[in-house]
Amino acid sequence: MPLPKRRWESMAKGLVLGALFTSFLLLLYSYAVPPLQAGLASTTPEAAAPCSPAGDEPQAATPTKGSAGGCQPRRNIVFMKTHKTASSTLLNILFRFGQKHGLKFAFPSGRNDFDYPAFFARSQVQDYRPGACFNIICNHMRFHYDEVRSLVPPNATFITVLRDPARLFESSFHYFGPVVPLTWKLPGRDKLSQFLQDPRRYYDPRGFNAHYLHNLLFFDLGYDSGLDPGSPRVREHILEVERRFQLVLLQEYFDESLVLLKELLCWELEDVLYFKLNARRAAAGPRLTGELYRRATAWNGLDARLYGHFNASFWRQVEAFGRERMAREVAALRRANERMRRICIDGGQAVDAAAIQDSALQPWQPLGAKPILGYNLKKSIGRRHAQLCRRMLTPEIQYLMDLGANLWVTKLWKFIRDFLQW
């Protein structure tokens, strides 16, 4: 039986409106996520105007031995924020330190990243002016050393964080998969296992957002993620990272990494307290094991070489620091974190997004699901800890806005997602 004319017209109008609205969203998203660039971004015209710190801006002092305190805290910091490496937790530490000491952040303009996956350029910084100087740069970017270097004083400390490449790949695949079209055609329910059976069959480096699924650490650090792992350029790039970064943290040894960071920056224990942020709910199925783990490591061969190099250098730093001393300081950090957990967190643990009562503590979720956990703040907290508790539990987007970042694109995208219940 043919559809009534009115109903047919209604369906046609709905299809037209849906197509127009989808086109609008694609246009918006194409603006919000700039095209991938194969080569380095060209420097901005004002390349001759390097960072010129004002006399009244806080300056980092090189640690010096002395009878009172032993050293001066470092306040000029570049954190190269890699993806899916506990970097959101470290970001919160930097936000708190900068806010506590009135430091100047270089914020992205409009979004919570520096036009990623495009290479970083100083023109992407909110309210940038030639010669502007900043204390802290810490949002997601595709690293461009010269552009970043021009925005911070000469004594700035550069840090980043790495993660086991197979585990990172697994996390990235689940988190970013919905916005990587090449995953949509993978057959079966276990798309990750299917992909790892023959990655080159499915992977297209030219595909939209494809960079999330191949050597993501190498990509984030500004290098060609499609290099042959045996190429001599790979070692050159790894040694370049070693020269540029004073500390490379490891996600798997996060507490030990924070102890080394505290030592390097001459900070107090309170400065590196943390709650795990942007953590994903434990998967229902098994994690990568055995053959799949080996396949994921081989597929991310550049990241595997990078991680292997800095895993070795990390433990050399631990040896130099002292194993027994490290054990004592890690234990002290964990005791302090546990104390803050009892003071701050209602129920004492992370909860699903649906159970979070305060919208200001809702973490950003990937498309199509809400696997990212968050926290509820206790109702009664003493004045001494109330501010610190809230800051430690505040997710990245909300904290950025609290600090004065203009995230109009991110907020618009969130409004559309909430409206469509994506």
Side-chain angles (χ1 to χ4, degrees), residues 28-36 111 115-117 208-209 211-212 409:
L28 174 65
Y29 193 67
S30 67
Y31 171 78
V33 181
L36 181 63
R111 299 165 30 162
D115 289 358
Y116 185 88
F208 184 70
N209 281 340
H211 60 278
Y212 286 121
V409 174

Side-chain angles (χ1 to χ4, degrees), residues 36-58:
L36 181 63
Q37 300 178 20
L40 282 175
S42 59
T43 55
T44 49
E46 55 275 6
C51 164
S52 303
D56 58 348
E57 289 184 358

Side-chain angles (χ1 to χ4, degrees), residues 51 75 127 130 153 161 164 197 205 220 305 315 319 329 421:
C51 164
R75 297 186 174 187
D127 301 326
V161 58
D164 178 298
Q197 295 304 317
D220 283 354
R305 287 192 60 182
W315 293 108
E319 289 291 344
E329 297 217 15
Q421 298 184 338

Side-chain angles (χ1 to χ4, degrees), residues 338-352:
E338 174 61 20
R339 179 170 174 268
M340 292 305 297
R341 182 190 67 80
R342 293 195 302 268
I343 292 171
C344 302
I345 300 175
D346 188 22
Q349 61 185 3
V351 296
D352 286 334

Side-chain angles (χ1 to χ4, degrees), residues 32 37 104 112 125 232 362 392:
Q37 300 178 20
K104 186 176 181 181
N112 62 307
V125 174
Q362 278 282 359
M392 288 180 71

